[in-house]
Amino acid sequence: MRAARLIKMVLLLQTRASMTAAELARELEVSERTVARDAQALSEAGIPVYADRGRAGGYRLVGGYRTRLTGLARSEAEALFLSGVPGALRDMGLQDTASAARLKVSAALMPSAQGASRSAAQRFHLDAPAWFSEPRTPELLPALADAVWDDRPVLARYRRRGSEAERTLEPYGLVLKAGLWYLCARVPDAEAFRVYRIDRFTAVDPGAERFRRDEGFDLPAFWEERAEEFARSVLRSEAVVRLSPEGVRLLPYALDPTSAKEGLASSGTPDGRGWVTLTLPVESEEVARIQLRGLGPEVEVLAPEALRKRCAEDAAVTAALYRSPTA
């Protein structure tokens, strides 16, 4: 433990011109007295750590000293590729590993390039969760992340349709979609890949042996295909509507992307006022009623008749509200 801390202290001093005892203590998560003892130990080992005294003092490496202790461990290299998703790293328990990897990379750079990581971090940031929601990290995510990294099968229990099921899974990859975590795994008995919501897992027991990974599995391509299948599978009904030009413009904001895209592709020729008739795939009549309500007078529902009637009733109630004088 101390050896790793001493190496980290050298790398920190190598990436910065000088650091105070308080700064080092904060980075190393130790006391300032421990920092002083570590600096003394490094000096006795032949590493030129120099301590400047006084209020503006601190620790620095003398004579442009550079250590070669910058080799990345496999886990650090893998975590480094995720360093643009800080929330995901934290959720999976990889924050410290990624921090060590970034520090090693920074230490290996020439002094003129050592500010690159900070410069990039101040200019680009990925915020994965959706707006207006409070993402919750699934309790079993770190255990599943470890199994994914190590190619270890898991005996998992998960909630399904009001009951619990148990199944052995080979975890291939994790996906963070709009604040929700999903596991892409192969079911050995069925020789099929499936997707599971991680917040529905109730228990995970990793196996001791590693499974043989299918090197042809492409996680991004698999997820794109399954996500498209899921988006289309929930659209089980249809609604025929007329849209004004403004309604056509607003449709992608009112409906989900798949429904809006397919609906607009089916649109007919605009009439004299620029209105078009199209068929929208929708999840249900009730969902369509709620979604189309946001288009107001820019949409007219033609079919099914039950949906048209309910939308007309909503419009009448709204009109009555505006006819009434305000209190």
Side-chain angles (χ1 to χ4, degrees):
M1 182 70 177
R2 191 191 185 199
R5 189 175 71 241
L6 292 173
I7 292 172
K8 185 174 182 179
M9 183 174 179
V10 173
L11 293 174
L12 284 167
L13 293 175
Q14 187 170 308
T15 57
R16 308 181 195 181
S18 176
M19 294 184 71
T20 66
E23 290 172 335
L24 282 168
R26 185 167 56 252
E27 290 281 355
L28 299 173
E29 299 182 350
V30 296
S31 67
E32 292 186 30
R33 180 170 295 183
T34 298
V35 169
R37 287 199 297 264
D38 286 352
Q40 180 66 30
L42 289 171
S43 182
E44 292 172 357
I47 297 175
V49 178
Y50 181 78
D52 293 314
R53 305 297 179 186
R55 176 177 294 181
Y59 293 89
R60 59 188 174 87
L61 292 174
V62 179
Y65 176 86
R66 298 185 67 78
T67 178
R68 294 182 181 273
L69 297 173
T70 53
L72 290 177
R74 178 182 175 87
S75 61
E76 292 171 340
E78 290 170 335
L80 190 60
F81 286 101
L82 293 171
S83 59
V85 198
L89 283 169
R90 182 180 60 252
D91 293 347
M92 290 188 289
L94 296 172
Q95 191 172 25
D96 291 342
T97 302
S99 176
R102 287 193 296 268
L103 183 58
K104 287 183 178 182
V105 170
S106 296
L109 295 173
M110 295 296 292
S112 60
Q114 285 176 355
S117 61
R118 184 179 184 279
S119 175
Q122 293 302 318
R123 288 166 172 78
F124 301 99
H125 176 69
L126 175 61
D127 184 9
W131 286 105
F132 312 119
S133 63
E134 188 66 32
R136 300 173 65 180
T137 303
E139 181 180 347
L140 296 174
L141 176 60
L144 284 168
D146 287 343
V148 168
W149 286 120
D150 292 340
D151 292 338
R152 296 189 185 277
V154 297
L155 180 62
R157 289 205 310 271
Y158 59 95
R159 296 186 299 275
R160 183 180 66 176
R161 300 185 183 93
S163 62
E164 278 199 357
E166 185 174 86
R167 178 164 285 168
T168 296
L169 302 173
E170 295 177 350
Y172 267 66
L174 298 170
V175 175
L176 176 60
K177 170 70 172 178
L180 290 176
W181 283 95
Y182 296 87
L183 174 69
C184 301
R186 181 167 62 185
V187 182
D189 295 340
E191 287 296 323
F193 287 94
R194 295 176 183 169
V195 177
Y196 301 86
R197 266 183 58 166
I198 294 181
D199 59 2
R200 293 178 180 167
F201 282 88
T202 58
V204 171
D205 184 16
E209 302 295 328
R210 288 183 168 88
F211 63 84
R212 184 183 295 276
R213 189 179 183 89
D214 180 359
E215 297 301 330
F217 178 75
D218 185 333
L219 179 60
F222 170 78
W223 176 259
E224 182 179 3
E225 179 183 347
R226 288 303 171 90
E228 186 175 341
E229 287 177 2
F230 173 77
R232 191 64 187 82
S233 68
V234 299
L235 303 176
R236 302 185 182 93
S237 300
E238 289 185 344
V240 182
V241 302
R242 291 179 66 243
L243 289 174
S244 70
E246 180 66 3
V248 170
R249 186 184 71 82
L250 295 175
L251 188 67
Y253 301 100
L255 274 66
D256 64 86
T258 300
S259 179
K261 181 180 178 181
E262 293 190 14
L264 291 172
S266 73
S267 62
T269 304
D271 63 16
R273 298 168 53 206
W275 286 61
V276 295
T277 299
L278 49 88
T279 300
L280 293 172
V282 295
E283 185 174 343
S284 66
E285 288 187 13
E286 180 59 26
V287 171
R289 174 194 175 201
I290 295 170
Q291 292 176 329
L292 294 173
R293 189 185 294 165
L295 295 177
E298 309 302 330
V299 61
E300 178 190 1
V301 175
L302 302 179
E305 184 59 34
L307 177 60
R308 176 181 173 86
K309 181 179 179 181
R310 296 192 70 183
C311 289
E313 291 170 351
D314 290 343
V317 171
T318 301
L321 287 174
Y322 283 95
R323 282 196 298 268
S324 302
T326 58

